[in-house]
Amino acid sequence: MRRGSIHPLVGIALFFGVFGLIYTIFEEPTALFRSAMFILLVITVIYIFYHFVYKRRINKDHLAYLKAVRQSKKLHPQAVRKQKTKSMAPKTKRLPKKRTATTHLTVIEGKKGKKKNRASF
């Protein structure tokens, strides 16, 4: 199918929708007004449910999380102190570390020529 084309069923549905809207505006404007008010009422009810019920439930979960964090900080006070002292410590210039002599590694010769018997595992 080409990119810019509309499926014929979608085009027919849009045509009838626009035709019905224009017909309702000229023949029964009060019915159109009642339908619009009903749609607005449904949207308002959904918004109120979301705002006052669902959002508060999410907020309670977040408050429970914050309470658990506070309890965790009480149980592990040392970790909190370490973080505070690091962040509150004045920043000073660090001196570059002195280079130490590299360790000399040696290769230990093993049994290179002997093949492993894989059946003996």
Side-chain angles (χ1 to χ4, degrees):
M1 229 176 151
R2 291 175 287 164
R3 280 195 126 178
S5 65
I6 298 175
H7 194 275
L9 292 178
V10 174
I12 292 171
L14 286 174
F15 172 75
F16 282 128
V18 171
F19 179 75
L21 183 67
I22 292 172
Y23 177 79
T24 308
I25 287 173
F26 288 114
E27 292 296 319
E28 301 177 52
T30 55
L32 181 66
F33 180 74
R34 272 187 279 146
S35 298
M37 284 297 136
F38 180 74
I39 291 170
L40 287 175
L41 178 71
V42 169
I43 291 172
T44 305
V45 168
I46 291 172
Y47 175 76
I48 289 172
F49 174 77
Y50 171 77
H51 187 69
F52 289 109
V53 177
Y54 186 73
K55 199 171 183 181
R56 287 183 190 233
R57 184 179 303 159
I58 292 173
N59 195 17
K60 285 180 183 178
D61 292 341
H62 185 68
L63 291 176
Y65 167 73
L66 292 177
K67 183 179 177 183
V69 169
R70 274 187 251 120
Q71 287 177 350
S72 177
K73 285 182 180 180
K74 285 180 184 177
L75 290 175
H76 307 290
Q78 293 174 346
V80 175
R81 283 190 206 137
K82 286 181 183 176
Q83 289 175 354
K84 286 183 180 177
T85 56
K86 285 182 182 177
S87 63
M88 297 176 118
K91 294 182 179 179
T92 59
K93 286 188 176 181
R94 293 184 182 179
L95 298 174
K97 293 182 179 181
K98 293 182 181 179
R99 288 191 177 188
T100 58
T102 58
T103 57
H104 297 288
L105 303 175
T106 58
V107 177
I108 301 172
E109 295 290 331
K111 301 175 185 175
K112 289 183 179 178
K114 190 174 183 182
K115 291 186 178 182
K116 294 181 182 179
N117 185 2
R118 298 206 181 261
S120 65
F121 286 133

